């Protein structure tokens, strides 16, 4: 691993940890547990998407893989294989309306278990990992792209035409 990569990952970890009043707590949780519980709604928020929502978009777009679909959102995505959920990190702002049954906006007052920035592959234990890693501090997903994915997935799952 290169020094630039290490420095970039450290910068991302520091930025994420700063969502807490005591950022050192996040670094300690990552060291001890591999996951830190971070506050949402200050630096970033998240959309929780059911696995089936994301997979439904893939089924309707032909050979596109889940990874390719998630990369179109323009920012970081965490996958929780145990909970069968994706967490799409977005700027803190009001949520999109009418999210449907497969998506939930998590903002101020919510917390999210965030894996170490270097955990970007599914592990044997089924722990959360970065399905799409954060490239640089503050680089988050596009809310309109997330809304588009939610709408497309919901339409596919409910049999509605676009």
């Amino acid at each position: 691993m290169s020094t630039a990569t290490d420095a970039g990952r450290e910068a991302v970890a520091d930025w994420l940890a700063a969502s807490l009043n005591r950022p050192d707590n996040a670094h300690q949780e990552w060291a001890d547990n591999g996951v830190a519980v971070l506050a949402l709604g200050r630096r970033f928020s998240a959309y929780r998407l059911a696995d089936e929502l994301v997979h439904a978009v893939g089924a309707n777009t032909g050979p596109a893989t889940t990874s390719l679909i998630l990369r179109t959102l323009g920012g970081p995505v965490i996958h929780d294989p145990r909970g069968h959920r994706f967490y799409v990190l977005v700027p803190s702002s009001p949520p999109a309306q009418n999210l449907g049954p497969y998506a939930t906006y998590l903002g101020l007052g919510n917390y999210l278990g965030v894996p170490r920035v270097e955990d970007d592959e599914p592990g044997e234990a089924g722990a959360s990992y970065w399905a799409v890693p954060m490239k640089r501090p503050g680089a988050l997903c596009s809310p309109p792209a997330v809304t588009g994915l939610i709408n497309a997935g919901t339409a596919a799952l409910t049999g509605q035409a676009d």
Side-chain angles (χ1 to χ4, degrees):
M1 195 176 324
S2 73
T3 304
T5 300
D6 289 345
R9 287 182 176 180
E10 186 175 330
V12 166
D14 288 345
W15 187 85
L16 289 166
S19 73
L20 299 176
N21 291 333
R22 296 175 188 229
D24 288 343
N25 289 353
H27 290 287
Q28 190 62 52
E29 287 181 31
W30 281 317
D32 293 347
N33 308 315
V35 173
V37 178
L38 302 183
L40 297 176
R42 291 169 53 189
R43 287 192 160 240
F44 60 94
S45 292
Y47 283 96
R48 179 176 55 216
L49 308 179
D51 276 3
E52 63 259 35
L53 178 92
V54 177
H55 296 303
V57 173
N60 283 350
T61 58
T65 65
T66 300
S67 177
L68 289 173
I69 291 164
L70 293 173
R71 289 185 192 288
T72 66
L73 301 177
V77 180
I78 297 168
H79 186 225
D80 173 11
R82 288 185 202 147
H84 306 286
R85 301 282 187 253
F86 288 94
Y87 294 89
V88 180
L89 304 189
V90 294
S92 293
S93 60
Q97 299 300 313
N98 302 321
L99 295 176
Y102 305 100
T104 304
Y105 178 79
L106 304 171
L108 196 59
N110 289 282
Y111 293 84
L112 177 63
V114 175
R116 290 181 293 241
V117 294
E118 63 268 19
D119 292 345
D120 58 2
E121 295 287 332
E124 292 178 22
S128 294
Y129 66 95
W130 292 93
V132 180
M134 184 176 249
K135 293 183 181 185
R136 64 185 181 286
L140 299 167
C141 292
S142 160
V146 177
T147 301
L149 180 114
I150 292 168
N151 291 339
T154 299
L157 288 169
T158 59
Q160 299 172 355
D162 287 337

